[in-house]
Amino acid sequence: MSVLIFAELDEGALKKSSLEAIYYGSKVAEQTGTSATAIVLGEASTDELTKAGRFGAAKVLHASDAKLNDGNAMAYASVVAAAVSQEGADVIVLAKSSLGDAVAARLAGKLKAGLAANVIELPDLSSGFRVKRSIFTGKAFAFTELTAGTKILTIKKNTITPEETEATAPVEAFTAGLNDVDFAVKVTHTEKATGDILLPEADVVVSGGRGLKGPENWGIVEDLAKALHAATACSKPVSDLDWRPHHEHVGQTGIKISPNLYIACGISGAIQHLAGVNSSKVIVVINKDPEAPFFKSADYGIVGDLFDVLPRLTKAVQAL
Amino acid sequence: MKILVCVTSVPDTITKITLTDNNTKLNKAGVQFITGPYDDYALSRAVDLKEQLGGTVTVLNVGGADAEPVIRKCLAVGADDAIRVNAEPTDAYFVAEQIAAIAKENNYDLILMGRESIDYNGGQVHGIVGELLGLPSISPVMKLNIEGTTAQITREIEGGHEDLEASLPLVLGCQEPIAEWKIPNMRGIMSARTKPLKVVEPTGNDTLTQVSSYELPPARGACKMIPAEEAETLIKLLRTEAKVI
Ligand SMILES: Cc1cc2nc3c(=O)[nH]c(=O)nc-3n(C[C@H](O)[C@H](O)[C@H](O)COP(=O)(O)OP(=O)(O)OC[C@H]3O[C@@H](n4cnc5c(N)ncnc54)[C@H](O)[C@@H]3O)c2cc1C
Ligand SMILES: Cc1cc2nc3c(=O)[nH]c(=O)nc-3n(C[C@H](O)[C@H](O)[C@H](O)COP(=O)(O)OP(=O)(O)OC[C@H]3O[C@@H](n4cnc5c(N)ncnc54)[C@H](O)[C@@H]3O)c2cc1C
């Protein structure tokens, strides 16, 4: 029995959501009296790999083959499955993310495992293995028993607060034979913003809606985001109109985020928009219409013209 | 081109979730059920591909008889026939097992799904089905074009997108802007009534997970309003009171 955590890299660094998953996995190992091993795929520096130890991993497996650099979920699932069998792992923990979902799913298929997505708390082991997960995009929670021998959990981002220690973890090279069939899908072109804070990983998000009037006005949103080290997001009509790229669209049909702070500017607060952001810890709404429904779901509100308010907020942040 | 589209019957996006039976059930009273919005994108693209390349579109749902209105609507939008696996869809693995069993009998070129169900939000059925069938699974797919037996695909990744090329058959999880949602017209609605809807019994009865009870989130506290003239105070409050910056 042991816990295996699949940890993701972004631009060579362990993702924040993966550090949360490692910490979560180490706590489950503590609860069950076993140990937690993290597995990292693709090229990474030793410094970065040992960081997993500071978040609770007792050991790090590193599959360093450069063929594993570009997040191929099928190949990842095969390698992780090999690690599961080497380590005799019966609990596998991943961050809920676009890659984490795919790896978890393929693994569940391989191992016939019980799978719970969007887990938000440590398991209750008092009678079996019960987790609390978020469903209906945060509108409800389901307490789910995992009765299968092998259990796979994907952890909702920013719901577990990891503690960092000085602990170190030994890094072991892990080689698993790679299958050609796992590389049948060819990546012909990749376009990815570099250096930016990834929206799903961000602690603070500044978001704009149709109230911004046009893409040429996004500078004031970006300025505030920059001052706050925040990522930018938008409502669906804004990405439908091509004012902003689709990967910034949050909501029912877009990305679901749960940052510490979500600042909504010129967004009315339709229920489908709220579905993507309602698990944010603190919500700020800036809207010129005092009747905008978003105020009912906010913690702080300003009724005002965003073209006046946003630049003043940016100045106030810069003055901190 | 033989296309299978897997659809969920889910509470409308504007539904306020409530619970019954001592919090062990979701309350269905007064809830309007719709096709999952992502499943709708998958179906719309499938119908477009059929019009372009010829072939058939089959709709598949794993669920009870109460899902049939949603299945009929999919037929009205342009699917040719439908299959309902008569079972409570208890978790992603169970659903995937049912879809894989149907797919094994039918040799589909494409199995299209939504990127994620809007009830349980797993985002995982396509991956499990892909694994069970030994096929590639790709999600979330924003663009899909077929030339011969090759698919050109654009997939969203965190912070951007990537273009992919793969041979059929494939399992795909779809999202916008892969197609425009289609609204059924009168002729579609009329013809949907007589299109075949086959009901089959499930295979396998593994219980890997089980929901024991539900809970609703606590309401957010009252919104603290800050006059626009004093907007700067917000930043102070976010630092000293909310402690988030
Ligand atoms: C099935 C389905 C799925 C959907 N999925 C999503 C989704 O994932 N994400 C999403 O966002 N939407 C989604 N929608 C759409 C949603 O219903 C709303 O239409 C959308 O969120 C509205 O976007 P908005 O708030 O930017 O625009 P609007 O509703 O037009 O609101 C603009 C707001 O800006 C304010 N404003 C205007 N000028 C100013 C100013 N100068 N200063 C301050 N405030 C100003 C206005 O008072 C108004 O409240 C979905 C809809 C459906 C049916
Ligand atoms: C009455 C009822 C009770 C339910 N009880 C539970 C429960 O106790 N526990 C639980 O986990 N889920 C339950 N759900 C099922 C839920 O709707 C999903 O079908 C299933 O759990 C997979 O969820 P997911 O979020 O992982 O799917 P995802 O992986 O997010 O779905 C991706 C795609 O797979 C396809 N798909 C998913 N489900 C189905 C389906 N049923 N039929 C056809 N295609 C499908 C769709 O194209 C969907 O867009 C219940 C649903 C109903 C209607």
Short mmCIF file of all heavy atoms in Angstrom, two decimals, chain A residues 262-315:
data_model
loop_
_atom_site.label_atom_id
_atom_site.label_comp_id
_atom_site.label_asym_id
_atom_site.label_seq_id
_atom_site.Cartn_x
_atom_site.Cartn_y
_atom_site.Cartn_z
N TYR A 262 -11.15 37.09 -7.12
CA TYR A 262 -11.67 37.25 -8.49
C TYR A 262 -12.28 38.64 -8.60
O TYR A 262 -13.19 38.98 -7.83
CB TYR A 262 -12.73 36.17 -8.78
CG TYR A 262 -13.29 36.23 -10.18
CD1 TYR A 262 -12.54 35.83 -11.27
CD2 TYR A 262 -14.60 36.70 -10.41
CE1 TYR A 262 -13.05 35.88 -12.56
CE2 TYR A 262 -15.11 36.75 -11.71
CZ TYR A 262 -14.34 36.34 -12.78
OH TYR A 262 -14.84 36.39 -14.05
N ILE A 263 -11.78 39.45 -9.51
CA ILE A 263 -12.30 40.81 -9.68
C ILE A 263 -13.03 40.88 -11.02
O ILE A 263 -12.42 40.72 -12.08
CB ILE A 263 -11.15 41.85 -9.64
CG1 ILE A 263 -10.36 41.70 -8.32
CG2 ILE A 263 -11.69 43.27 -9.80
CD1 ILE A 263 -9.21 42.68 -8.16
N ALA A 264 -14.34 41.07 -10.96
CA ALA A 264 -15.17 41.06 -12.18
C ALA A 264 -15.49 42.50 -12.58
O ALA A 264 -16.09 43.24 -11.81
CB ALA A 264 -16.46 40.29 -11.92
N CYS A 265 -15.11 42.89 -13.78
CA CYS A 265 -15.30 44.27 -14.24
C CYS A 265 -16.26 44.28 -15.43
O CYS A 265 -15.97 43.66 -16.46
CB CYS A 265 -13.98 44.88 -14.67
SG CYS A 265 -12.63 44.53 -13.54
N GLY A 266 -17.37 44.95 -15.31
CA GLY A 266 -18.31 45.04 -16.43
C GLY A 266 -18.87 43.69 -16.83
O GLY A 266 -19.05 43.40 -18.01
N ILE A 267 -19.12 42.83 -15.84
CA ILE A 267 -19.73 41.52 -16.07
C ILE A 267 -21.04 41.50 -15.28
O ILE A 267 -21.04 41.84 -14.09
CB ILE A 267 -18.81 40.37 -15.61
CG1 ILE A 267 -17.46 40.45 -16.34
CG2 ILE A 267 -19.47 39.01 -15.83
CD1 ILE A 267 -16.44 39.42 -15.88
N SER A 268 -22.15 41.10 -15.91
CA SER A 268 -23.45 41.22 -15.25
C SER A 268 -23.64 40.17 -14.15
O SER A 268 -24.36 40.39 -13.19
CB SER A 268 -24.58 41.13 -16.27
OG SER A 268 -24.49 39.94 -17.01
N GLY A 269 -22.99 38.99 -14.31
CA GLY A 269 -23.14 37.96 -13.29
C GLY A 269 -24.22 36.95 -13.62
O GLY A 269 -24.93 36.47 -12.73
N ALA A 270 -24.34 36.59 -14.89
CA ALA A 270 -25.28 35.53 -15.30
C ALA A 270 -24.89 34.23 -14.59
O ALA A 270 -23.72 34.00 -14.32
CB ALA A 270 -25.21 35.33 -16.82
N ILE A 271 -25.89 33.40 -14.33
CA ILE A 271 -25.65 32.17 -13.58
C ILE A 271 -24.60 31.29 -14.27
O ILE A 271 -23.79 30.64 -13.62
CB ILE A 271 -26.99 31.43 -13.33
CG1 ILE A 271 -26.81 30.34 -12.28
CG2 ILE A 271 -27.58 30.87 -14.60
CD1 ILE A 271 -28.07 29.95 -11.57
N GLN A 272 -24.57 31.32 -15.60
CA GLN A 272 -23.58 30.50 -16.31
C GLN A 272 -22.18 31.05 -16.14
O GLN A 272 -21.19 30.33 -16.24
CB GLN A 272 -23.90 30.40 -17.81
CG GLN A 272 -25.22 29.73 -18.12
CD GLN A 272 -26.35 30.71 -18.31
OE1 GLN A 272 -26.21 31.90 -18.01
NE2 GLN A 272 -27.48 30.23 -18.79
N HIS A 273 -22.07 32.35 -15.93
CA HIS A 273 -20.75 32.92 -15.64
C HIS A 273 -20.32 32.53 -14.23
O HIS A 273 -19.19 32.09 -14.01
CB HIS A 273 -20.77 34.44 -15.80
CG HIS A 273 -19.41 35.06 -15.60
ND1 HIS A 273 -18.47 35.15 -16.60
CD2 HIS A 273 -18.83 35.57 -14.49
CE1 HIS A 273 -17.36 35.69 -16.11
NE2 HIS A 273 -17.55 35.96 -14.83
N LEU A 274 -21.27 32.67 -13.29
CA LEU A 274 -20.97 32.35 -11.88
C LEU A 274 -20.49 30.91 -11.73
O LEU A 274 -19.65 30.61 -10.90
CB LEU A 274 -22.21 32.57 -11.01
CG LEU A 274 -22.68 34.02 -10.89
CD1 LEU A 274 -23.97 34.10 -10.09
CD2 LEU A 274 -21.62 34.89 -10.26
N ALA A 275 -21.03 30.01 -12.57
CA ALA A 275 -20.67 28.59 -12.48
C ALA A 275 -19.16 28.39 -12.58
O ALA A 275 -18.62 27.45 -12.02
CB ALA A 275 -21.38 27.79 -13.57
N GLY A 276 -18.49 29.28 -13.27
CA GLY A 276 -17.04 29.11 -13.44
C GLY A 276 -16.21 29.76 -12.36
O GLY A 276 -15.01 29.51 -12.27
N VAL A 277 -16.83 30.63 -11.55
CA VAL A 277 -16.03 31.43 -10.62
C VAL A 277 -16.53 31.40 -9.18
O VAL A 277 -15.90 31.97 -8.29
CB VAL A 277 -15.96 32.91 -11.10
CG1 VAL A 277 -15.39 33.00 -12.50
CG2 VAL A 277 -17.32 33.60 -11.05
N ASN A 278 -17.67 30.71 -8.95
CA ASN A 278 -18.28 30.80 -7.62
C ASN A 278 -17.48 30.13 -6.51
O ASN A 278 -17.78 30.31 -5.34
CB ASN A 278 -19.73 30.27 -7.64
CG ASN A 278 -19.79 28.84 -8.12
OD1 ASN A 278 -18.78 28.18 -8.24
ND2 ASN A 278 -20.99 28.35 -8.39
N SER A 279 -16.44 29.36 -6.85
CA SER A 279 -15.61 28.83 -5.76
C SER A 279 -14.43 29.73 -5.45
O SER A 279 -13.55 29.34 -4.68
CB SER A 279 -15.11 27.41 -6.01
OG SER A 279 -15.72 26.78 -7.07
N SER A 280 -14.38 30.92 -6.03
CA SER A 280 -13.33 31.87 -5.66
C SER A 280 -13.52 32.24 -4.20
O SER A 280 -14.65 32.37 -3.72
CB SER A 280 -13.45 33.15 -6.51
OG SER A 280 -13.50 32.82 -7.87
N LYS A 281 -12.40 32.44 -3.48
CA LYS A 281 -12.55 32.72 -2.04
C LYS A 281 -13.17 34.10 -1.82
O LYS A 281 -14.07 34.25 -1.00
CB LYS A 281 -11.20 32.59 -1.35
CG LYS A 281 -10.70 31.14 -1.49
CD LYS A 281 -9.84 30.66 -0.36
CE LYS A 281 -9.66 29.16 -0.48
NZ LYS A 281 -8.36 28.72 -0.92
N VAL A 282 -12.68 35.10 -2.54
CA VAL A 282 -13.22 36.46 -2.41
C VAL A 282 -13.57 36.97 -3.81
O VAL A 282 -12.77 36.85 -4.74
CB VAL A 282 -12.20 37.40 -1.73
CG1 VAL A 282 -12.70 38.85 -1.74
CG2 VAL A 282 -11.92 36.94 -0.30
N ILE A 283 -14.78 37.53 -3.93
CA ILE A 283 -15.21 38.06 -5.22
C ILE A 283 -15.47 39.56 -5.11
O ILE A 283 -16.17 40.02 -4.20
CB ILE A 283 -16.49 37.33 -5.73
CG1 ILE A 283 -16.17 35.86 -6.01
CG2 ILE A 283 -17.06 38.02 -6.97
CD1 ILE A 283 -17.35 35.03 -6.51
N VAL A 284 -14.89 40.33 -6.03
CA VAL A 284 -15.11 41.77 -6.11
C VAL A 284 -15.84 42.06 -7.41
O VAL A 284 -15.46 41.53 -8.46
CB VAL A 284 -13.77 42.54 -6.10
CG1 VAL A 284 -13.98 44.02 -6.38
CG2 VAL A 284 -13.04 42.35 -4.77
N VAL A 285 -16.88 42.87 -7.34
CA VAL A 285 -17.63 43.21 -8.55
C VAL A 285 -17.62 44.72 -8.77
O VAL A 285 -17.92 45.49 -7.86
CB VAL A 285 -19.08 42.70 -8.45
CG1 VAL A 285 -19.95 43.27 -9.55
CG2 VAL A 285 -19.10 41.17 -8.51
N ILE A 286 -17.25 45.11 -9.99
CA ILE A 286 -17.29 46.52 -10.36
C ILE A 286 -18.24 46.64 -11.54
O ILE A 286 -18.01 46.05 -12.60
CB ILE A 286 -15.88 47.01 -10.75
CG1 ILE A 286 -14.93 46.83 -9.56
CG2 ILE A 286 -15.92 48.48 -11.19
CD1 ILE A 286 -13.48 46.80 -9.94
N ASN A 287 -19.35 47.37 -11.33
CA ASN A 287 -20.38 47.45 -12.36
C ASN A 287 -21.13 48.76 -12.18
O ASN A 287 -21.39 49.18 -11.06
CB ASN A 287 -21.34 46.25 -12.21
CG ASN A 287 -22.17 46.04 -13.46
OD1 ASN A 287 -22.87 46.95 -13.91
ND2 ASN A 287 -22.10 44.84 -14.01
N LYS A 288 -21.49 49.40 -13.30
CA LYS A 288 -22.16 50.70 -13.16
C LYS A 288 -23.64 50.55 -12.81
O LYS A 288 -24.28 51.52 -12.39
CB LYS A 288 -21.97 51.53 -14.44
CG LYS A 288 -22.72 51.01 -15.64
CD LYS A 288 -22.61 51.99 -16.80
CE LYS A 288 -23.42 51.47 -17.97
NZ LYS A 288 -23.14 52.14 -19.23
N ASP A 289 -24.15 49.33 -12.95
CA ASP A 289 -25.57 49.09 -12.67
C ASP A 289 -25.74 48.51 -11.27
O ASP A 289 -25.35 47.36 -11.03
CB ASP A 289 -26.12 48.12 -13.73
CG ASP A 289 -27.55 47.70 -13.45
OD1 ASP A 289 -28.18 48.28 -12.54
OD2 ASP A 289 -28.03 46.78 -14.14
N PRO A 290 -26.34 49.27 -10.34
CA PRO A 290 -26.48 48.76 -8.98
C PRO A 290 -27.35 47.50 -8.92
O PRO A 290 -27.28 46.74 -7.95
CB PRO A 290 -27.16 49.91 -8.22
CG PRO A 290 -27.72 50.82 -9.25
CD PRO A 290 -26.91 50.62 -10.50
N GLU A 291 -28.15 47.26 -9.96
CA GLU A 291 -29.03 46.07 -9.99
C GLU A 291 -28.34 44.86 -10.61
O GLU A 291 -28.97 43.80 -10.75
CB GLU A 291 -30.30 46.38 -10.80
CG GLU A 291 -31.15 47.54 -10.27
CD GLU A 291 -31.63 47.30 -8.86
OE1 GLU A 291 -31.98 46.14 -8.56
OE2 GLU A 291 -31.63 48.26 -8.06
N ALA A 292 -27.10 44.99 -11.01
CA ALA A 292 -26.43 43.84 -11.66
C ALA A 292 -26.46 42.63 -10.71
O ALA A 292 -26.09 42.75 -9.55
CB ALA A 292 -24.99 44.20 -12.02
N PRO A 293 -26.92 41.47 -11.21
CA PRO A 293 -27.07 40.30 -10.33
C PRO A 293 -25.76 39.87 -9.65
O PRO A 293 -25.79 39.26 -8.59
CB PRO A 293 -27.59 39.20 -11.26
CG PRO A 293 -27.65 39.77 -12.63
CD PRO A 293 -27.43 41.23 -12.56
N PHE A 294 -24.63 40.20 -10.25
CA PHE A 294 -23.35 39.76 -9.71
C PHE A 294 -23.13 40.23 -8.27
O PHE A 294 -22.49 39.57 -7.46
CB PHE A 294 -22.18 40.25 -10.59
CG PHE A 294 -21.06 39.26 -10.73
CD1 PHE A 294 -20.30 39.19 -11.90
CD2 PHE A 294 -20.74 38.37 -9.69
CE1 PHE A 294 -19.26 38.28 -12.04
CE2 PHE A 294 -19.69 37.45 -9.83
CZ PHE A 294 -18.96 37.42 -11.01
N PHE A 295 -23.70 41.41 -7.92
CA PHE A 295 -23.49 41.93 -6.56
C PHE A 295 -24.02 40.96 -5.50
O PHE A 295 -23.51 40.91 -4.39
CB PHE A 295 -24.14 43.31 -6.40
CG PHE A 295 -23.39 44.41 -7.11
CD1 PHE A 295 -23.98 45.12 -8.15
CD2 PHE A 295 -22.10 44.74 -6.73
CE1 PHE A 295 -23.28 46.13 -8.81
CE2 PHE A 295 -21.39 45.76 -7.39
CZ PHE A 295 -21.99 46.45 -8.43
N LYS A 296 -25.03 40.16 -5.87
CA LYS A 296 -25.60 39.21 -4.91
C LYS A 296 -24.64 38.07 -4.59
O LYS A 296 -24.80 37.38 -3.59
CB LYS A 296 -26.91 38.62 -5.46
CG LYS A 296 -28.03 39.63 -5.52
CD LYS A 296 -29.39 38.93 -5.53
CE LYS A 296 -30.52 39.91 -5.60
NZ LYS A 296 -30.55 40.64 -6.90
N SER A 297 -23.65 37.87 -5.44
CA SER A 297 -22.71 36.77 -5.22
C SER A 297 -21.32 37.30 -4.90
O SER A 297 -20.33 36.58 -5.03
CB SER A 297 -22.62 35.89 -6.47
OG SER A 297 -23.89 35.45 -6.82
N ALA A 298 -21.24 38.58 -4.53
CA ALA A 298 -19.92 39.19 -4.32
C ALA A 298 -19.66 39.44 -2.85
O ALA A 298 -20.57 39.46 -2.03
CB ALA A 298 -19.85 40.49 -5.10
N ASP A 299 -18.39 39.63 -2.52
CA ASP A 299 -18.00 40.00 -1.16
C ASP A 299 -17.79 41.50 -1.05
O ASP A 299 -18.06 42.10 -0.02
CB ASP A 299 -16.72 39.25 -0.78
CG ASP A 299 -16.91 37.76 -0.85
OD1 ASP A 299 -17.63 37.22 0.00
OD2 ASP A 299 -16.38 37.13 -1.79
N TYR A 300 -17.24 42.10 -2.12
CA TYR A 300 -17.06 43.55 -2.17
C TYR A 300 -17.62 44.06 -3.49
O TYR A 300 -17.45 43.41 -4.53
CB TYR A 300 -15.57 43.92 -2.09
CG TYR A 300 -14.92 43.52 -0.78
CD1 TYR A 300 -14.24 42.31 -0.66
CD2 TYR A 300 -15.00 44.35 0.34
CE1 TYR A 300 -13.65 41.93 0.54
CE2 TYR A 300 -14.41 43.98 1.55
CZ TYR A 300 -13.74 42.76 1.64
OH TYR A 300 -13.17 42.40 2.83
N GLY A 301 -18.26 45.21 -3.46
CA GLY A 301 -18.81 45.76 -4.69
C GLY A 301 -18.56 47.25 -4.81
O GLY A 301 -18.52 47.97 -3.81
N ILE A 302 -18.36 47.67 -6.04
CA ILE A 302 -18.29 49.11 -6.32
C ILE A 302 -19.27 49.38 -7.46
O ILE A 302 -19.14 48.78 -8.54
CB ILE A 302 -16.88 49.55 -6.76
CG1 ILE A 302 -15.87 49.29 -5.62
CG2 ILE A 302 -16.87 51.03 -7.15
CD1 ILE A 302 -14.44 49.68 -5.97
N VAL A 303 -20.25 50.27 -7.21
CA VAL A 303 -21.12 50.70 -8.29
C VAL A 303 -20.45 51.92 -8.92
O VAL A 303 -20.32 52.96 -8.28
CB VAL A 303 -22.52 51.09 -7.75
CG1 VAL A 303 -23.39 51.61 -8.90
CG2 VAL A 303 -23.18 49.89 -7.08
N GLY A 304 -19.97 51.73 -10.14
CA GLY A 304 -19.27 52.85 -10.76
C GLY A 304 -18.84 52.50 -12.17
O GLY A 304 -19.01 51.37 -12.64
N ASP A 305 -18.28 53.50 -12.83
CA ASP A 305 -17.81 53.35 -14.21
C ASP A 305 -16.42 52.71 -14.18
O ASP A 305 -15.48 53.30 -13.64
CB ASP A 305 -17.77 54.73 -14.87
CG ASP A 305 -17.32 54.66 -16.31
OD1 ASP A 305 -16.96 53.56 -16.78
OD2 ASP A 305 -17.32 55.72 -16.97
N LEU A 306 -16.30 51.54 -14.77
CA LEU A 306 -15.02 50.84 -14.69
C LEU A 306 -13.88 51.62 -15.33
O LEU A 306 -12.72 51.47 -14.96
CB LEU A 306 -15.14 49.43 -15.29
CG LEU A 306 -15.43 49.27 -16.78
CD1 LEU A 306 -14.15 49.21 -17.60
CD2 LEU A 306 -16.21 47.99 -17.00
N PHE A 307 -14.22 52.46 -16.32
CA PHE A 307 -13.16 53.23 -16.98
C PHE A 307 -12.53 54.26 -16.04
O PHE A 307 -11.39 54.67 -16.20
CB PHE A 307 -13.70 53.91 -18.25
CG PHE A 307 -14.08 52.91 -19.30
CD1 PHE A 307 -15.40 52.50 -19.46
CD2 PHE A 307 -13.10 52.33 -20.11
CE1 PHE A 307 -15.75 51.55 -20.41
CE2 PHE A 307 -13.44 51.38 -21.06
CZ PHE A 307 -14.77 50.98 -21.22
N ASP A 308 -13.30 54.65 -15.01
CA ASP A 308 -12.77 55.54 -13.98
C ASP A 308 -12.15 54.72 -12.85
O ASP A 308 -11.05 55.02 -12.37
CB ASP A 308 -13.94 56.41 -13.47
CG ASP A 308 -13.63 57.03 -12.11
OD1 ASP A 308 -12.56 57.65 -12.00
OD2 ASP A 308 -14.46 56.88 -11.18
N VAL A 309 -12.85 53.65 -12.44
CA VAL A 309 -12.46 52.92 -11.22
C VAL A 309 -11.18 52.09 -11.42
O VAL A 309 -10.28 52.12 -10.58
CB VAL A 309 -13.62 52.02 -10.74
CG1 VAL A 309 -13.17 51.11 -9.61
CG2 VAL A 309 -14.81 52.87 -10.29
N LEU A 310 -11.08 51.38 -12.54
CA LEU A 310 -9.95 50.46 -12.71
C LEU A 310 -8.59 51.16 -12.64
O LEU A 310 -7.71 50.72 -11.89
CB LEU A 310 -10.08 49.66 -14.01
CG LEU A 310 -11.10 48.53 -14.01
CD1 LEU A 310 -10.93 47.63 -15.23
CD2 LEU A 310 -11.00 47.69 -12.75
N PRO A 311 -8.38 52.25 -13.39
CA PRO A 311 -7.07 52.91 -13.30
C PRO A 311 -6.75 53.40 -11.88
O PRO A 311 -5.60 53.34 -11.45
CB PRO A 311 -7.20 54.09 -14.27
CG PRO A 311 -8.29 53.71 -15.21
CD PRO A 311 -9.24 52.87 -14.40
N ARG A 312 -7.79 53.80 -11.14
CA ARG A 312 -7.54 54.26 -9.77
C ARG A 312 -7.15 53.09 -8.87
O ARG A 312 -6.28 53.22 -8.00
CB ARG A 312 -8.78 54.98 -9.23
CG ARG A 312 -8.92 56.39 -9.87
CD ARG A 312 -10.24 57.05 -9.56
NE ARG A 312 -10.56 57.02 -8.15
CZ ARG A 312 -11.81 56.96 -7.66
NH1 ARG A 312 -12.84 56.93 -8.49
NH2 ARG A 312 -12.02 56.95 -6.38
N LEU A 313 -7.77 51.93 -9.10
CA LEU A 313 -7.38 50.74 -8.31
C LEU A 313 -5.93 50.35 -8.61
O LEU A 313 -5.17 50.00 -7.71
CB LEU A 313 -8.32 49.57 -8.62
CG LEU A 313 -9.78 49.72 -8.17
CD1 LEU A 313 -10.57 48.47 -8.54
CD2 LEU A 313 -9.89 49.99 -6.67
N THR A 314 -5.58 50.43 -9.89
CA THR A 314 -4.20 50.08 -10.27
C THR A 314 -3.22 50.98 -9.53
O THR A 314 -2.22 50.51 -8.97
CB THR A 314 -4.02 50.22 -11.80
OG1 THR A 314 -5.03 49.43 -12.43
CG2 THR A 314 -2.65 49.77 -12.25
N LYS A 315 -3.51 52.29 -9.53
CA LYS A 315 -2.62 53.24 -8.82
C LYS A 315 -2.55 52.89 -7.33
O LYS A 315 -1.47 52.91 -6.74
CB LYS A 315 -3.16 54.67 -8.98
CG LYS A 315 -2.74 55.31 -10.28
CD LYS A 315 -2.61 56.83 -10.14
CE LYS A 315 -2.45 57.47 -11.51
NZ LYS A 315 -3.74 57.96 -12.07
#
